[in-house]
Amino acid sequence: MNVITQKTGWIEIICGGMFSGKSEELIRRARRTQYAQQKIQVFKPSIDNRYSDEYVVSHSQMKLPSILVADTKEIRAKIEEDTQVIAIDEVQFFDEDVIELVGELADGGKRVILAGLDMDYMGKPFGPMPHLLAIADYITKLQAICVKCGNPAGRTQRLSHDKEQIVVGADNIYEARCRNCHEIID
């Protein structure tokens, strides 16, 4: 009898608006892999320079060592062969090539944990997230608390009048808002 051994990998996505705990949840899951003595590599985009270049840092100041990368090509080049788990924070900032990479990693037996905004400040799908959500095996959508009414908040309110899709910042530029309190600023 022939036994076929197949590698089993998967893609997990943690998504939601700002201040919903995405990075905190990614850090929690990454720490659990370390307890299981699995080799993990954590990546974050170089554009995210809010708290640290060497760590993924949550708004609540939890942190985890990470590798700063400019793009998907650099992630691919830095993944070590014996790594079992790959985590990427702020995945919405990466190019569309990240979709192919995470698919290849999962197909190759790796556990892939992604965290990112599913919508931009206008309430529109953000970067590669719609496609990543479609191919994910597990999705966790987190909610923050609306700063206006206290309801569950899945939107990100930009407080400045910048028109660019990407403006990196924290509570000085953004607030968590519910569907009813979210406003598109022209």
Side-chain angles (χ1 to χ4, degrees):
M1 178 167 164
N2 290 339
V3 177
I4 298 173
T5 305
Q6 185 169 348
K7 294 180 179 182
T8 305
W10 62 89
I11 301 167
E12 304 171 25
I13 296 186
I14 306 156
C15 67
M18 286 191 67
F19 312 109
S20 61
K22 298 176 304 299
S23 295
E24 196 168 306
E25 177 63 14
L26 180 134
I27 292 166
R28 186 188 73 80
R29 292 183 192 188
R31 285 191 176 145
R32 289 176 56 100
T33 68
Q34 292 171 333
Y35 298 140
Q37 298 181 353
Q38 296 174 319
K39 182 173 178 180
I40 183 170
Q41 286 184 272
V42 181
F43 296 93
K44 68 179 262 183
S46 56
I47 190 173
D48 182 13
N49 57 4
R50 291 172 294 175
Y51 298 117
S52 170
D53 285 343
E54 291 121 19
Y55 293 90
V56 167
V57 182
S58 71
H59 294 294
S60 65
Q61 299 305 306
M62 288 177 62
K63 65 182 184 177
L64 183 72
S66 64
I67 301 164
L68 195 66
V69 291
D71 55 26
T72 304
K73 190 177 191 179
E74 195 172 348
I75 294 172
R76 186 183 295 277
K78 292 187 176 191
I79 293 174
E80 297 168 6
E81 192 173 321
D82 60 339
T83 298
Q84 298 164 288
V85 182
I86 292 92
I88 305 172
D89 196 33
E90 303 293 354
V91 71
Q92 77 278 355
F93 291 143
F94 287 96
D95 52 69
E96 297 290 318
D97 293 342
V98 76
I99 300 163
E100 183 179 335
L101 174 63
V102 301
E104 289 172 10
L105 291 169
D107 290 345
K110 310 287 187 195
R111 176 182 177 190
V112 183
I113 308 169
L114 309 172
L117 295 167
D118 53 344
M119 292 185 285
D120 66 11
Y121 76 102
M122 301 273 294
K124 307 268 189 235
F126 204 153
M129 286 299 281
H131 198 112
L132 291 168
L133 288 163
I135 65 169
D137 298 288
Y138 304 98
I139 299 169
T140 303
K141 183 156 179 158
L142 300 176
Q143 301 288 316
I145 302 296
C146 180
V147 299
K148 294 291 186 189
C149 70
N151 283 331
R155 307 279 173 115
T156 301
Q157 180 70 54
R158 184 178 288 169
L159 303 175
S160 69
H161 293 283
D162 296 302
K163 298 290 184 198
E164 298 84 25
Q165 184 182 38
I166 298 173
V167 176
V168 177
D171 57 2
N172 59 332
I173 299 177
Y174 295 102
E175 289 180 343
R177 299 273 182 97
C178 69
R179 179 182 296 275
N180 292 328
C181 295
H182 182 255
E183 303 170 43
I184 309 266
I185 299 174
D186 292 326

